[in-house]
Amino acid sequence: MVSPLMSIYPRADLAFERGEGAYLYGGDGRKYLDFGSGIAVTALGHCHPRLVEALRGQAGALWHCSNMYRIPAGERLAQRLVDRTFADSVFFANSGTEAIECGLKMVRKHHHERGQPERYRVIACQGSFHGRSLAAIAASGKEKHLQGFAPPMDGFDQVAFANLNEMRAAVTPETAAILIEPVQGEGGINPAPPDYLRGLRQIADEFGILLFLDEVQCGMGRTGKLFAYEWAGIEPDILAAAKGLGGGFPIGACLAKEGPASAMTPGSHGSTFGGNPLAMTVAGAVLDIMEADGFLENVEGMGRLLFEKLEQLVGAHPKVLSSVRGSGLMIGLECLVKNSELRDKLAENGMLVVNSGEHVIRMLPPLIIGQSHVDEAVAIIGKSCKELAVEGT
């Protein structure tokens, strides 16, 4: 018999009643250190007072207003993102997948408006993840995501990640854009080297195609910069953001330079709920906090500290851990045991993480953590590794 709640997620037998800062609390009152953050969503921790205040204030004023009318909070947020980034214009949606979908449509419309409708193909990378829509799973090209949804949408090619020679060789007269995550999330926390991103910018310029960055997971302060592309000193043409932008409230954003943005004319795209006053107000409060002096510096500093301590754990537990990689507070810990075994052991000991691929656990803690949280996490991981090593003997 089918479940009333569609059985799409393999849910852990955990349910939480409340959250505060870096912690979640179960129905039994048990406390968990949350280093998953709803997969990089609760970037400012749970129930941040500034976000609660902003949401409550807006909820008492106006929830929804159709995009048939002006939404001043959205205009202000768009201007702030334009002022802070490469972009000239922003479209607001409700999720990362929707932001990716907008960007893919923009890529095709851009070349169509330039008299090059034959340019519609997008080159993405193996190991990528761009969402769950038909276009997004075709872009990622993962067999497990495509299974049962054949035929895959046409227009996407995949090449090896961080290989400029393969990328250049894949460009054809039909190529419209390159789509890439500066740090692969689902693919195992794989940061793109800065020289690789700079090389992609050069390839895009050389062939007259667009560079489209998926920063749904690695953006919004996660790497120690507001957006990860800043580390390479380049500018994309299009960028998808979501997750941490709302701090837990559903929001997506597609940022673009004037060229591709100008191709999106009235009627070419839309969203019923995208850009609603609630989301715009909360995201504005998120930006207030992230742009405060010292915030991103703390992210970078805590990321270095956590990375260093995890490297020590790798050396101390060679039967369980093999390596650590990542950027800022987006860190992958590669396991010699099944990552599900380590994930479950960590939860048993009071810490939440997210799997990535088959052998990596993903740590995406709230960007507000301090040294005490790092120390607590390292202690729990160390305890869990010892227990797994004993169980494996």
Side-chain angles (χ1 to χ4, degrees):
M1 184 176 178
V2 68
S3 167
L5 187 61
M6 202 171 289
S7 300
I8 288 175
Y9 301 103
R11 302 177 194 268
D13 189 20
L14 290 171
F16 305 106
E17 289 195 347
R18 67 184 182 91
E20 183 178 353
Y23 297 95
L24 282 168
Y25 296 84
D28 58 359
R30 191 172 180 210
K31 181 179 179 182
Y32 295 84
L33 179 64
D34 185 7
F35 265 43
S37 298
I39 315 184
V41 169
T42 51
L44 301 179
H46 297 283
C47 298
H48 191 290
R50 291 276 296 280
L51 302 192
V52 172
E53 179 184 7
L55 183 57
R56 282 178 173 164
Q58 186 60 49
L62 178 65
W63 287 28
H64 177 76
C65 181
S66 170
N67 285 302
M68 293 170 60
Y69 311 103
R70 290 181 54 204
I71 301 177
E75 295 171 2
R76 291 191 295 269
L77 181 60
Q79 186 63 59
R80 291 180 68 179
L81 289 170
V82 165
D83 291 342
R84 182 62 178 77
T85 70
F86 72 95
D88 296 306
S89 192
V90 183
F91 174 80
F92 290 115
N94 308 289
S95 68
T97 298
E98 291 181 49
I100 290 290
E101 192 76 18
C102 175
L104 292 173
K105 288 180 68 176
M106 194 184 305
V107 162
R108 291 191 178 190
K109 192 71 157 46
H110 168 76
H111 289 290
H112 181 274
E113 295 299 309
R114 290 163 62 92
Q116 299 174 310
E118 73 280 2
R119 285 196 152 179
Y120 72 99
R121 303 193 69 83
V122 173
I123 306 173
C125 289
Q126 295 160 5
S128 66
F129 180 80
H130 300 295
R132 300 282 187 173
S133 69
L134 285 173
I137 61 175
S140 301
K142 287 186 179 178
E143 183 59 35
K144 69 176 183 178
H145 294 153
L146 289 167
Q147 189 173 3
F149 301 107
M153 183 178 290
D154 183 38
F156 300 96
D157 306 295
Q158 288 82 30
V159 299
F161 182 70
N163 188 317
L164 286 174
N165 290 332
E166 280 200 26
M167 183 64 74
R168 176 178 290 275
V171 178
T172 74
E174 293 183 331
T175 301
I178 295 167
L179 171 61
I180 183 172
E181 300 162 273
V183 184
Q184 287 188 333
E186 296 284 336
I189 308 297
N190 302 308
D195 283 346
Y196 175 65
L197 293 177
R198 288 191 281 268
L200 293 181
R201 180 69 270 175
Q202 292 172 359
I203 290 172
D205 291 341
E206 178 181 345
F207 290 97
I209 58 180
L210 300 174
L211 180 58
F212 181 2
L213 298 185
D214 178 347
E215 293 222 25
V216 168
Q217 188 168 153
C218 66
M220 293 311 298
R222 180 56 55 184
T223 66
K225 300 281 190 185
L226 189 62
F227 289 106
Y229 74 82
E230 297 175 50
W231 291 107
I234 64 163
E235 291 188 347
D237 299 295
I238 304 172
L239 181 145
K243 290 188 180 286
L245 177 59
F249 198 94
I251 181 174
C254 186
L255 289 66
K257 287 188 173 180
E258 181 177 0
S262 63
M264 303 301 280
T265 52
S268 61
H269 197 55
S271 171
T272 295
F273 298 106
N276 68 79
L278 292 172
M280 300 297 93
T281 299
V282 174
V286 169
L287 271 183
D288 288 342
I289 296 165
M290 289 191 178
E291 290 184 331
D293 289 343
F295 181 89
L296 292 174
E297 288 78 6
N298 181 70
V299 173
E300 190 178 356
M302 289 301 105
R304 283 197 306 269
L305 179 64
L306 179 58
F307 198 97
E308 291 167 2
K309 289 183 177 288
L310 290 174
E311 284 187 316
Q312 294 171 11
L313 282 179
V314 169
H317 302 284
K319 292 184 179 180
V320 181
L321 306 174
S322 62
S323 66
V324 58
R325 58 179 177 265
S327 178
L329 287 174
M330 186 175 183
I331 296 179
L333 192 55
E334 190 162 8
C335 313
L336 294 171
V337 298
K338 289 183 178 179
N339 57 4
S340 58
E341 292 181 12
L342 181 53
R343 176 203 62 199
D344 293 346
K345 181 62 70 173
L346 290 170
E348 183 182 312
N349 289 321
M351 179 179 173
L352 305 173
V353 296
V354 185
N355 280 0
S356 182
E358 296 182 1
H359 302 291
V360 177
I361 61 167
R362 202 176 347 170
M363 279 171 277
L364 305 160
L367 305 183
I368 58 167
I369 63 168
Q371 184 170 345
S372 64
H373 299 106
V374 171
D375 291 341
E376 183 180 358
V378 169
I380 295 174
I381 297 170
K383 179 178 186 291
S384 300
C385 287
K386 287 180 182 178
E387 293 173 358
L388 284 175
V390 169
E391 292 172 7
T393 56

